Amino acid sequence: MRNGLTTGRGLSMAAAGVAAMALTLTACGSGGIDDESGGGEDTLTIGFVSTETGSSAPFGEANSFVVDEMEAYFKDHPVKAGDKELDVEIVVRDAQSDTTKAGTVAGDLINKDGADIIVASSTPDIVNPVSEQCEANSIPCITTVAPWQPFAIRSGDKPADLKYSYHFFWGLEDVATVYADIWGKVPNNKKAGGLFPKDPDGEAWGANFPALTEASGVKIDNPGNYPNGTKDFSAQISAFKGHDVLVGVPIPPDFTTFWQQAKQQGYNPKVATIGKALLFPSSVEALGPIAHNLSTEVWWTPTAPYKSSLTGQSAQELADAYEEKTGKQWTQPLGFAHALFEVATAAVTEAGSTDADAITKALSGLEVSTVVGDVAWGKDANVPPYVAKTSLAGGQWRQVEGGEHPFELVVVQNSLAPDVPLGGEPEALK
């Protein structure tokens, strides 16, 4: 147990991906990479477990853009490792938003594609089984976009003993602080409904949020964790009526279903702070006007004063490049997908080689300033040594009449990220 936090039930399910041995033929990447082994001693092969399809596909929406940009960058900028300059090969495999598939494709990247290092992002369902495969095969692994607790605490109440896996992101204590502060700025009756699914995130949030937000005076009522893919939320809506606050961490399609049904059935909280589902412009646009002033965490925004250690792009420049090339609105995982390659490059350069143990040793004390802020391992005694915490703010989606995009994510809370400028104050839902 760290910081009085527990996993709740079911976090060990992510390890199920390790046992998966089915042959996977999914190999992608902008270069049409096949299943042959890595490129040799003068090539650094980075395996990227992505989420291109399935219920968590919004987490991977920017990944193909990042891979294309990184391939173009590395073509002109080989990675320096000791006295060598290494060409970089990026091999991408789609986890299809599935825990078992994530473990399988990670194994393929290691054993078929000869990856020297694995990177992965997007929820504990993906990063945990990827990490397990890397641990089993003694391959360095860099992961992100999952609170550190469900990544580190996979069963029981103690962090796993990981040797090759290094993770950077914020923790439940941080998002609880952000959410509770937003609640405190919107008048409410101190009663909250807890919308928590039966997955590693939902179990961890549901188990820990009541204690982490207790000082706010808001009491969270959880009628029971529901399975992902639920089509009828009438029971939860009935239980939540009379609660001015809503908190939860559903997958995007489930919150769309819940919120539409809530409005139809007359549940109208004054403030709703929703993790995961409200991170993405596409999910918010799917709701239309009823999404106005819904709140979520902000782990990356173009207004943040950070720059890439590789390309020199500011956060704003990276977001602009994404919007210009794809025609889509910037999305939070963009910055962290880019940062994965910043960290991987810095680790190999520090190691001076592609040797797995040398890279792992380099990661254990690595410090690098990235487009998502400073990432440093071994600096925080309150987290396992393989965790580096990143900053966190809070925001609300505001409908914009005549704007470039239908909704804009406005930063309304920055107590844990004071260098990220505020764009407004928390407002009540209509």
Side-chain angles (χ1 to χ4, degrees):
M1 183 181 300
R2 297 263 182 168
N3 294 338
L5 301 166
T6 61
T7 60
R9 297 174 291 110
L11 290 189
S12 60
M13 65 177 284
V18 180
M21 301 301 293
L23 177 63
T24 300
L25 300 179
T26 305
C28 55
S30 60
I33 298 165
D34 60 22
D35 281 337
E36 296 179 358
S37 60
E41 63 178 13
D42 292 328
T43 299
L44 169 65
T45 301
I46 302 176
F48 186 11
V49 179
S50 182
T51 48
E52 307 292 334
T53 56
S55 60
S56 294
F59 280 96
E61 185 176 6
N63 288 352
S64 61
F65 166 83
V66 170
V67 170
D68 287 347
E69 294 293 296
M70 288 293 94
E71 287 181 335
Y73 173 82
F74 288 128
K75 184 177 180 180
D76 296 326
H77 302 85
V79 174
K80 294 181 180 180
D83 58 359
K84 289 185 178 181
E85 288 191 342
L86 304 176
D87 294 329
V88 178
E89 178 185 43
I90 302 172
V91 186
V92 184
R93 289 181 178 264
D94 181 16
Q96 300 175 20
S97 304
D98 181 80
T99 292
T100 300
K101 179 69 74 173
T104 300
V105 300
D108 288 345
L109 285 167
I110 295 166
N111 299 309
K112 295 182 180 181
D113 299 304
D116 298 299
I117 190 167
I118 301 291
V119 298
S121 69
S122 311
T123 81
D125 287 310
I126 304 303
V127 299
N128 287 20
V130 171
S131 163
E132 296 287 355
Q133 282 284 11
C134 291
E135 293 293 316
N137 288 278
S138 302
I139 293 293
C141 177
I142 303 168
T143 56
T144 190
V145 186
W148 73 259
Q149 287 92 347
F151 174 80
I153 308 173
R154 303 184 182 189
S155 62
D157 60 4
K158 295 181 179 179
D161 182 18
L162 303 178
K163 294 179 169 43
Y164 291 89
S165 304
Y166 285 81
H167 188 74
F168 63 102
F169 210 52
W170 41 264
L172 296 181
E173 69 279 14
D174 303 312
V175 71
T177 295
V178 168
Y179 281 10
D181 188 65
I182 291 174
W183 301 343
K185 293 178 179 177
V186 177
N188 64 81
N189 64 2
K190 304 296 185 181
K191 296 171 65 177
L195 188 66
F196 302 116
K198 289 181 180 177
D199 63 18
D201 266 335
E203 299 288 356
W205 288 50
N208 290 291
F209 249 67
L212 289 171
T213 60
E214 185 177 13
S216 71
V218 175
K219 182 180 183 300
I220 299 174
D221 294 323
N222 179 4
N225 293 42
Y226 62 89
N228 285 328
T230 292
K231 301 301 182 185
D232 184 358
F233 285 95
S234 297
Q236 288 82 3
I237 293 167
S238 177
F240 295 163
K241 285 185 177 180
H243 294 66
D244 283 350
V245 178
L246 176 69
V247 60
V249 61
I251 58 176
D254 286 359
F255 184 73
T256 298
T257 300
F258 170 87
W259 196 238
Q260 289 173 340
Q261 292 178 1
K263 290 298 182 181
Q264 292 166 1
Q265 297 177 32
Y267 174 50
N268 296 294
K270 291 182 170 58
V271 59
T273 50
I274 302 296
K276 190 182 292 185
L278 293 181
L279 298 170
F280 317 107
S282 57
S283 301
V284 175
E285 290 174 20
L287 290 169
I290 61 174
H292 183 67
N293 276 343
L294 287 171
S295 308
T296 193
E297 69 271 17
V298 179
W299 15 288
W300 185 77
T301 174
T303 62
Y306 309 135
K307 289 187 176 182
S308 168
S309 60
L310 295 179
T311 66
Q313 290 170 296
S314 67
Q316 186 66 63
E317 288 169 339
L318 178 61
D320 290 344
Y322 174 76
E323 292 191 348
E324 181 178 356
K325 184 171 182 179
T326 66
K328 299 177 180 179
Q329 189 173 358
W330 68 271
T331 182
Q332 292 198 55
L334 167 64
F336 278 80
H338 184 98
L340 282 171
F341 292 95
E342 295 186 70
V343 173
T345 300
V348 173
T349 298
E350 178 69 21
S353 76
T354 59
D355 176 75
D357 289 332
I359 294 173
T360 302
K361 183 178 180 181
L363 282 165
S364 67
L366 189 69
E367 298 182 39
V368 55
S369 294
T370 76
V371 77
V372 301
D374 292 339
V375 176
W377 280 277
K379 299 296 183 182
D380 189 342
N382 293 314
V383 299
Y386 49 79
V387 169
K389 285 183 59 171
T390 55
S391 62
L392 187 68
Q396 284 187 310
W397 287 99
R398 301 262 165 87
Q399 194 168 17
V400 181
E401 295 292 339
E404 185 177 357
H405 306 292
F407 289 86
E408 294 288 351
L409 182 58
V410 177
V411 175
V412 298
Q413 201 282 342
N414 68 347
S415 65
L416 300 180
D419 50 350
V420 176
L422 290 172
E425 293 293 327
E427 297 177 0
L429 292 164
K430 302 298 185 184

